[in-house]
Amino acid sequence: MLVGIPLEQSNSVIKPKDCASEMSEYIVAVAEERCKRSFARVFSYFAPRLRSYALKQMGNEALAMELVQDTMSNVWQKAHLFNSEKGSPSTWIFTIARNIRFDMLRKLQNRKEDVCSDDLWPVLCEQTADANETSLDEQITLEQIGFMFESLPVKQKAVIEAIYIDGKSQQEVADELSIPLGTVKSRTRLALQRLKGMLNDHD
Amino acid sequence: MTKFHPAPEQLSEFAQGALASVESLMISAHCDMCARCQQVVAQQTVLQAEHALMDTQDDPATKTHDFQDDSKLDSMLESITQLPRATPSKTSRSGSRKIIELDGRVFTIPRTLRKYVPFMGNWSSLVGKLWQAPVDVGVSGVANFIYIGQGGSIPEHTHRGTEYTLVINGEFSDGLNHYRKGDFIKMNESDIHAPYSDDISGCLIFSILDQPLHFTAGIARLLNPFSHLFFRY
């Protein structure tokens, strides 16, 4: 009676958590070897499930299939971002689909909003993004900063020292040095511009 | 320690991606500062994933399992595996900034809001020890960083719409409660409050408001015709 039905059909009764480690291995194989067979396993398990989730969410067959396609394309192209220590394959794939759905719905409503799913849930961010963000802090040693600081004109240095090292407000500095607040502000601005220039040269 | 959190249902809906942009943004920024809610969202995400991707067999709504569907999925599989591996690219985050400054004070901004720091206007001094800088978040409504210096206060007011507030640094009170770094506050028409800060380093908050404030007490009532001043575009 079951003759002719592909084996994969039985997938639908296996719960996601019961095949998590198996699916993890397939995704790793996709990441490391671009293994199409492994991807086909992941696809045949998740695509029909995603399709039924997408149908409920989008209420439209074409949009639902678009959601499935975008989600599974990301799984294929960004499998290297999957980390089995952080979560199961089904959670990872769900979060990709949820993000795409969030952005699709916003686009459909024609909102000109600048909020996108990546900002809310950074699921598919390259790990290097954070490293880049902190690189400036890490690559430049305190010693180098000290050197740059020393090369500032004396008056700018005094203002920067009072504000950034002693934690005084600009008004306090103005009172202490008996100079107008505007002068403190312009010295701060000039000093920061100069430091910024030196940091950029450093790169 | 953070004491005011989004409601459990809000966190659950956030994990589903079911909330509007503004609310999602504020909850995400709160989670950046709150390990507890981060964990709740992570747990909810696992549950939602299980629920969303569970057995498809018994669901009559989607049980239109026919050969046409299978062939659509087959050709989809075929076309996906033709795609190249994604080249690592820097995300839009590259334009973000971690830090804002006011009068020599430096504040670290939670991850979710960093993207909007470049879209921040100049600080302007309001009454008393109050400073405000508008932020173009691109959503309907108005977003501001507000700094309440030590001893500073905002006149008592109610809200015509919904106001989401997040404490980024320091502490403030409002006659109802005392709020600390990370606290998430959602207020609407029925809430009247008068925020003030006794914190020695003042208090920096981020707020999104979808309608002008409505001042309720004393001389500040005179501000009402001008409440758009607190609500700049």
Side-chain angles (χ1 to χ4, degrees), chain B residues 10-76:
Chain B
Q10 273 177 299
L11 292 173
S12 164
E13 286 177 37
F14 171 71
Q16 290 171 50
L19 294 178
S21 303
V22 168
E23 200 164 359
S24 300
L25 187 76
M26 294 305 266
I27 291 178
S28 176
H30 168 76
C31 290
D32 292 338
M33 297 186 279
C34 176
R36 192 204 85 148
C37 288
Q38 233 173 62
Q39 207 183 345
V40 174
V41 169
Q43 287 162 351
Q44 280 297 323
T45 307
V46 172
L47 288 177
Q48 297 299 339
E50 238 166 73
H51 178 74
L53 302 178
M54 64 183 187
D55 194 348
T56 56
Q57 285 276 314
D58 304 326
D59 195 333
T62 54
K63 211 186 170 181
T64 55
H65 197 90
D66 57 33
F67 291 107
Q68 205 197 343
D69 273 339
D70 282 347
S71 75
K72 269 190 210 164
L73 288 179
D74 284 345
S75 60
M76 186 189 289

Side-chain angles (χ1 to χ4, degrees), chain B residues 110-131:
Chain B
R111 180 194 60 81
T112 308
L113 301 179
R114 289 178 191 168
K115 175 184 159 186
Y116 304 106
V117 175
F119 302 102
M120 182 180 155
N122 288 326
W123 286 105
S124 56
S125 174
L126 304 175
V127 284
K129 295 174 174 175
L130 218 53
W131 292 80

Side-chain angles (χ1 to χ4, degrees), chain B:
Chain B
M1 240 194 64
T2 308
K3 247 175 36 192
F4 295 86
H5 307 271
E9 316 81 73
Q10 273 177 299
L11 292 173
S12 164
E13 286 177 37
F14 171 71
Q16 290 171 50
L19 294 178
S21 303
V22 168
E23 200 164 359
S24 300
L25 187 76
M26 294 305 266
I27 291 178
S28 176
H30 168 76
C31 290
D32 292 338
M33 297 186 279
C34 176
R36 192 204 85 148
C37 288
Q38 233 173 62
Q39 207 183 345
V40 174
V41 169
Q43 287 162 351
Q44 280 297 323
T45 307
V46 172
L47 288 177
Q48 297 299 339
E50 238 166 73
H51 178 74
L53 302 178
M54 64 183 187
D55 194 348
T56 56
Q57 285 276 314
D58 304 326
D59 195 333
T62 54
K63 211 186 170 181
T64 55
H65 197 90
D66 57 33
F67 291 107
Q68 205 197 343
D69 273 339
D70 282 347
S71 75
K72 269 190 210 164
L73 288 179
D74 284 345
S75 60
M76 186 189 289
L77 172 61
E78 186 60 30
S79 74
I80 288 174
T81 49
Q82 302 303 315
L83 294 170
R85 182 196 293 264
T87 45
S89 61
K90 271 188 93 179
T91 51
S92 57
R93 217 163 304 285
S94 53
S96 69
R97 275 164 48 200
K98 256 187 185 171
I99 275 172
I100 65 171
E101 284 177 74
L102 170 64
D103 209 16
R105 295 176 205 279
V106 177
F107 303 99
T108 304
I109 302 304
R111 180 194 60 81
T112 308
L113 301 179
R114 289 178 191 168
K115 175 184 159 186
Y116 304 106
V117 175
F119 302 102
M120 182 180 155
N122 288 326
W123 286 105
S124 56
S125 174
L126 304 175
V127 284
K129 295 174 174 175
L130 218 53
W131 292 80
Q132 173 179 273
V135 189
D136 185 2
V137 179
V139 294
S140 52
V142 168
N144 279 292
F145 281 110
I146 296 169
Y147 176 77
I148 312 173
Q150 186 183 14
S153 63
I154 300 174
E156 183 184 82
H157 60 272
T158 175
H159 310 85
R160 288 220 170 116
T162 305
E163 179 190 56
Y164 294 96
T165 303
L166 201 61
V167 183
I168 310 283
N169 199 296
E171 303 180 5
F172 81 94
S173 301
D174 68 353
L176 305 171
N177 291 298
H178 189 74
Y179 305 99
R180 294 179 177 83
K181 180 174 177 172
D183 278 339
F184 172 95
I185 309 143
K186 179 179 178 179
M187 296 233 157
N188 57 35
E189 288 88 346
S190 56
D191 301 303
I192 301 179
H193 70 163
Y196 63 93
S197 177
D198 288 331
D199 194 318
I200 190 154
S201 56
C203 182
L204 178 72
I205 58 183
F206 179 73
S207 103
I208 295 189
L209 190 64
D210 62 3
Q211 299 263 321
L213 295 179
H214 188 78
F215 292 97
T216 46
I219 196 92
R221 264 182 304 181
L222 294 173
L223 286 172
N224 276 331
F226 308 107
S227 64
H228 61 274
L229 290 177
F230 283 84
F231 193 73
R232 291 173 188 227
Y233 290 90

Side-chain angles (χ1 to χ4, degrees), chain A residues 67 70-71 74 96-105 117:
Chain A
L67 179 52
D70 283 2
T71 306
N74 272 300
I96 296 172
R98 173 203 60 197
N99 283 16
I100 292 169
R101 173 191 154 275
F102 185 86
D103 291 336
M104 273 172 82
L105 285 178
S117 61

Side-chain angles (χ1 to χ4, degrees), chain A residues 138-194:
Chain A
E138 285 164 4
Q139 283 170 14
I140 294 177
T141 63
L142 273 178
E143 209 176 331
Q144 286 165 316
I145 290 275
F147 180 75
M148 291 172 184
F149 176 70
E150 286 302 323
S151 72
L152 288 174
V154 180
K155 286 178 178 173
Q156 292 180 12
K157 204 162 77 181
V159 170
I160 291 293
E161 192 167 5
I163 293 173
Y164 287 90
I165 298 172
D166 303 336
K168 290 174 184 157
S169 75
Q170 290 186 325
Q171 186 62 58
E172 284 166 342
V173 177
D175 295 344
E176 226 163 73
L177 300 177
S178 310
I179 52 173
L181 180 61
T183 309
V184 175
K185 286 185 176 170
S186 64
R187 281 183 194 168
T188 311
R189 199 183 61 239
L190 287 172
L192 290 179
Q193 271 170 5
R194 198 180 268 255

